[in-house]
Amino acid sequence: MAADQYLYGILARETVNTSASSPLRQVAVTLMPWLRVWAGDLLVGVHPSGSFAKGTANASGTDIDLFLSLRSDTTATLKDIYDTLFNQLQQSGYAPRKQNVSIGLRVGSFKVDLVPGKQQQANSTDHSLWRNRAQTWTKTNIGTHIAAVQSSGRQNEIRVIKLWRNQRGLDFPSFYLELSVIAALSGNTQPGFSDRVWTALTYLSNRFENARAVDPADTNNIISDDLSESGKTAIARAASETLKAKTWGEVVK
């Protein structure tokens, strides 16, 4: 019980305001003039996505992800969509960073990830994205991602593992992490919150490296391919070391 209370206390400290009045939602308003310059009438909408929308965000992590939906009749290539967004942000006075499918930047005091995508068909929620690291494209559906995480009921365990990742400086993409925790706890009925977190860490230590994580919106998109073998090994080793901890304060702070 004391371990559970400790972890819930940390999550309370890390609570993110996702309400309609959240200051984070103003980020889209601030960026909109530059996004209109970039995309014009081809911009269908700007929607919160990622951890903010899934309920797996922590105050000390990335503040908000925004998905930028472009019309299916956009003629630019996916690479050009990604690159021109980066260039527009630079010209607008920001300091953008190219990541994988997103572009990171700061808007005021907030960290923001922008994910540009093109509808596969008119009014479709399926989108094509540019994968900058692999220099290729992929199909995805952000709504399907959000629903998969929300319906899992594992948001709290995911949040703790995200804090663990951040505090150890691990390169572990958030959606890959979310899918891994959901897989680790599939069918798990342990009543203790700390017991479930420990089970997730045990999975990362013992099974993660050889496990296949698949995009629920596109079975051809293997999420686990986004990390190198050495990157996976680093995560497994960190989990193994963590399992030697004598107190929960050594696991996550």
Side-chain angles (χ1 to χ4, degrees):
M1 184 62 70
D4 288 3
Q5 290 174 344
Y6 173 78
L7 292 177
Y8 282 125
I10 288 175
L11 293 186
R13 180 197 75 202
E14 293 285 338
T15 298
V16 173
N17 179 4
T18 59
S19 70
S21 61
S22 171
L24 283 167
R25 294 187 183 273
Q26 286 298 116
V27 169
V29 176
T30 300
L31 289 173
M32 191 58 73
W34 307 117
L35 297 178
R36 286 295 183 193
V37 171
W38 164 65
D41 292 338
L42 295 173
L43 184 64
V44 177
V46 178
H47 310 287
S49 60
S51 302
F52 184 88
K54 296 171 187 171
T56 60
N58 291 312
S60 58
T62 297
D63 288 298
I64 191 167
D65 299 334
L66 294 174
F67 185 72
L68 316 180
S69 174
L70 299 184
R71 281 175 16 193
S72 60
D73 58 351
T74 302
T75 57
T77 66
L78 293 171
K79 185 178 188 305
D80 284 344
I81 288 170
Y82 185 91
D83 288 341
T84 56
L85 174 61
F86 178 86
N87 294 338
Q88 179 62 62
L89 292 167
Q90 273 193 324
Q91 293 166 16
S92 303
Y94 294 101
R97 305 176 310 281
K98 290 186 177 181
Q99 299 172 155
N100 187 23
V101 297
S102 66
I103 293 173
L105 69 157
R106 276 198 171 272
V107 179
S109 62
F110 299 126
K111 292 180 288 183
V112 184
D113 285 346
L114 300 180
V115 181
K118 184 172 79 169
Q119 290 178 328
Q120 292 206 331
Q121 297 177 2
N123 301 316
S124 173
T125 55
D126 288 336
H127 285 75
S128 299
L129 310 179
W130 181 247
R131 292 174 60 199
N132 190 53
R133 290 176 185 167
Q135 290 291 292
T136 188
W137 72 281
T138 189
K139 169 192 169 184
T140 197
N141 188 308
I142 299 301
T144 299
H145 289 187
I146 293 170
V149 175
Q150 287 182 340
S151 65
S152 75
R154 303 302 186 183
Q155 290 97 322
N156 283 341
E157 293 88 347
I158 288 169
R159 289 180 61 203
V160 172
I161 298 299
K162 283 187 174 181
L163 288 169
W164 170 82
R165 170 199 65 186
N166 294 348
Q167 290 170 11
R168 281 157 182 77
L170 295 168
D171 179 12
F172 196 173
S174 288
F175 191 43
Y176 188 7
L177 182 154
E178 290 165 347
L179 292 177
S180 297
V181 173
I182 291 169
L185 298 176
S186 177
N188 187 289
T189 58
Q190 291 171 292
F193 180 34
S194 58
D195 293 330
R196 297 193 299 273
V197 172
W198 199 258
T199 295
L201 287 167
T202 302
Y203 173 94
L204 294 177
S205 173
N206 299 339
R207 297 168 53 196
F208 166 74
E209 286 183 271
N210 297 316
R212 200 165 181 258
V214 179
D215 186 340
D218 178 11
T219 55
N220 292 316
N221 182 19
I222 310 304
I223 301 295
S224 45
D225 287 348
D226 287 346
L227 266 187
S228 65
E229 292 306 314
S230 61
K232 294 174 186 177
T233 298
I235 292 166
R237 285 177 178 169
S240 295
E241 285 300 310
T242 301
L243 292 172
K244 299 175 185 176
K246 303 298 184 185
T247 68
W248 275 99
E250 298 174 63
V251 175
V252 65
K253 298 177 181 177

